[in-house]
Amino acid sequence: MRRALTLARRGRTSPNPMVGAVVVKDGVVIGEGFHPKAGEPHAEVFALDSAGGNSSGATMYVTLEPCCHTGRTPPCTEAIIKAGIARVYAAMADPDPKVAGKGFARLRQLGIEVECGLLEPEARLLNEAYVKHRETGMPLVILKSAMSLDGKIASRTGDSKWITGERSRAFGHRLRRDVDAIVVGANTARVDDPRLTARVGSRTYYPTRVVVSESGDLPASLVLIGPPGESIIAVPKRANSESLRKLEQAGARILTLKDYGERASIADLMRQLGELGHLSVLIEGGGEIAASALEEKVVDKVIFFYAPRIIGGRGAVSAIGGLGAEDIASSITLDRVKVRRFGGDIAVEGYVVYPS
């Protein structure tokens, strides 16, 4: 099963889950495979093909319950049955209502022994974005920020390039590659004019780029607007319709958000991104959009990079804006915290625990 989990990580599968499979016969691995991307055969099919027709009586280890419905590919349960697999060990059940135990039931109906739960925590972590989306309809939301030791993401003049080092920025691009959408605020879009692409090695990836703007008054010349990839401008109903028309003509998609108090709702944005099939969203800045996301309790995980420098200044831009907590007891804490080094920088990663 550990081998199957390792294989699963090779895929870039959204909106599908990452899945790996291994076929074992007489104590020997005779086939293995993983799901490479949506629309291509699933891990079970690749593993059975790799076994070369020798799977009768064998055992399959798979990281997720085999599907039993026809989507873009045929049901994996039928391929397992046809191959003569005798036992299936699955790490976890599929939370998708279209499967959700039905795959196991189909295999058992044909006399195949099924056991579920082997390395389930590791399997759920591997597909945490898929699991959250299928269970709640919402994407997994990661808040990422790069700052000085005193929590500043820009100096009092607005200068922000570059606070952290090359190794931190390279890891940031790998984060972008692995999510479906990246969200920034309007001020970040205007001042930095970021591409919001992921440049990893010699390849460039194009997650959906999202700008949240209260007014809609954004230049249509922003480099993130238009193909390749999709760009979204998220605004409240009161936004400037003429500006939005120009942004649409430039290639942007417009999403209208509900209000949260006197501003656009970030929770409503995440709900709509989930409906569009996005499993994971990376919020990159700035401080006000980060504060809004935390206030509405949509952030699941944070990754903060700290550079060994002090910027200072009351007018410098902080990583988290807004009003903040009234007291320490009502502040947000982190669980399952990991600390890593990237050259001289330190990254702190953890899952958000909101005060009750």
Side-chain angles (χ1 to χ4, degrees):
M1 189 64 80
R2 292 196 185 281
R3 174 61 180 165
L5 287 165
T6 298
L7 289 166
R9 294 184 181 94
R10 296 183 183 178
R12 286 186 45 77
T13 59
S14 184
N16 290 354
M18 292 180 282
V19 183
V22 174
V23 179
V24 177
K25 189 172 184 178
D26 299 326
V28 177
V29 173
I30 62 170
E32 58 181 32
F34 66 95
H35 180 41
K37 64 179 181 180
E40 293 198 6
H42 291 183
E44 297 94 323
V45 173
F46 278 113
L48 292 170
D49 287 347
S50 174
N54 298 316
S55 299
S56 181
T59 298
M60 175 177 283
Y61 295 83
V62 62
T63 58
L64 186 70
E65 177 182 2
C67 66
C68 54
H69 64 284
T70 299
R72 283 190 273 186
T73 58
C76 293
T77 50
E78 304 315 298
I80 292 169
I81 293 164
K82 183 178 179 180
I85 291 290
R87 288 168 299 280
V88 172
Y89 289 91
M92 61 176 286
D94 193 331
D96 191 319
K98 290 181 291 186
V99 185
K102 300 181 185 72
F104 292 150
R106 173 62 177 160
L107 296 175
R108 289 183 177 121
Q109 184 183 32
L110 273 293
I112 297 172
E113 180 185 339
V114 176
E115 290 193 29
C116 179
L118 181 61
L119 299 185
E120 182 172 355
E122 291 91 332
R124 291 185 68 88
L125 182 61
L126 171 71
N127 278 309
E128 60 180 346
Y130 173 80
V131 170
K132 184 188 177 188
H133 184 268
R134 291 302 190 270
E135 290 181 346
T136 69
M138 298 280 279
L140 182 83
V141 181
I142 304 166
L143 173 61
K144 174 247 179 185
S145 188
M147 65 192 84
S148 61
L149 286 178
D150 54 334
K152 305 298 184 182
I153 59 173
S155 71
R156 57 185 171 82
T157 64
D159 183 39
S160 62
K161 291 185 174 58
W162 295 102
I163 292 176
T164 53
E166 288 187 10
R167 290 177 61 181
S168 293
R169 298 200 299 275
F171 184 78
H173 277 274
R174 294 198 295 275
L175 280 175
R176 288 181 176 183
R177 177 196 61 189
D178 295 336
V179 298
D180 296 329
I182 303 173
V183 176
V184 297
N187 191 56
T188 297
R190 291 191 195 96
V191 174
D192 295 343
D193 196 12
R195 295 184 181 276
L196 299 186
T197 56
R199 298 176 293 281
V200 180
S202 60
R203 296 191 61 181
T204 301
Y205 300 84
Y206 297 90
T208 298
R209 289 93 66 195
V210 184
V211 180
V212 181
S213 172
E214 293 294 328
S215 66
D217 291 325
L218 292 165
S221 59
L222 290 174
V223 296
L224 61 81
I225 293 178
E230 183 182 29
S231 53
I232 292 174
I233 309 299
V235 295
K237 291 180 181 179
R238 58 184 174 277
N240 186 316
S241 58
E242 179 60 24
S243 293
L244 297 181
R245 184 184 63 80
K246 293 178 181 178
L247 290 165
E248 276 190 301
Q249 289 176 343
R253 178 175 187 166
I254 308 301
L255 290 185
T256 302
L257 305 181
K258 296 178 180 178
D259 284 337
Y260 182 85
E262 297 182 354
R263 58 169 175 76
S265 170
I266 303 303
D268 189 48
L269 170 62
M270 296 307 160
R271 180 189 61 78
Q272 293 192 51
L273 290 176
E275 289 176 351
L276 291 172
H278 294 81
L279 304 188
S280 55
V281 175
L282 181 66
I283 298 177
E284 287 209 354
E288 293 305 316
I289 198 85
S292 297
L294 290 168
E295 183 181 350
E296 292 189 59
K297 300 182 179 180
V298 299
V299 178
D300 298 292
K301 180 163 58 173
V302 301
I303 304 178
F304 286 175
F305 294 85
Y306 293 91
R309 65 174 77 238
I310 297 171
I311 294 175
R314 286 185 295 272
V317 184
S318 295
I320 309 295
L323 292 176
E326 291 185 3
D327 49 53
I328 300 303
S330 60
S331 62
I332 294 167
T333 58
L334 297 184
D335 188 23
R336 291 177 279 166
V337 176
K338 293 194 297 186
V339 179
R340 287 183 279 184
R341 291 284 300 271
F342 293 91
D345 301 336
I346 297 171
V348 177
E349 175 181 341
Y351 291 82
V352 175
V353 179
Y354 294 100
S356 58

